[in-house]
Amino acid sequence: MKLYVISLAVGLLVGIIYAVLQVRSPAPPAIALIGLLGMLIGEQIVPSVKRLMAGEAVTVSWLRSECVPKISGVEAKPTLAKAESQQQQQDDSAA
């Protein structure tokens, strides 16, 4: 139930922002898609801040492996270190 109330509250907030910006609702496709992209990027701020607060580095490789797939919907390509590790594991299991 709490999730529904939060969803309604956020929807009301977005409606108010649309009214202030004088954007009709539903928004034109380009504006709506940019808004959705902003939401996806914004969702990744929380894990990044949590990581920083835990004293861990927010590196480009971490962003590519953890955040980019959630934003783009495309799986991250393995890094060179991961690819070498996977190859080593395959070689060990074959031997």
Side-chain angles (χ1 to χ4, degrees), residues 2-78:
K2 181 180 175 184
L3 207 54
Y4 291 103
V5 173
I6 292 171
S7 180
L8 177 62
V10 171
L12 289 170
L13 178 64
V14 170
I16 291 168
I17 293 170
Y18 273 22
V20 168
L21 296 175
Q22 297 179 348
V23 175
R24 68 181 188 274
S25 184
I31 293 172
L33 289 175
I34 291 170
L36 288 172
L37 177 62
M39 289 168 50
L40 289 170
I41 293 170
E43 286 178 348
Q44 300 313 307
I45 291 172
V46 173
S48 300
V49 169
K50 283 182 179 179
R51 189 170 172 91
L52 287 171
M53 290 177 68
E56 299 176 34
V58 176
T59 62
V60 172
S61 63
W62 180 81
L63 288 169
R64 287 184 65 199
S65 66
E66 296 297 321
C67 297
V68 171
K70 293 173 184 169
I71 294 170
S72 67
V74 177
E75 281 191 44
K77 294 179 184 177

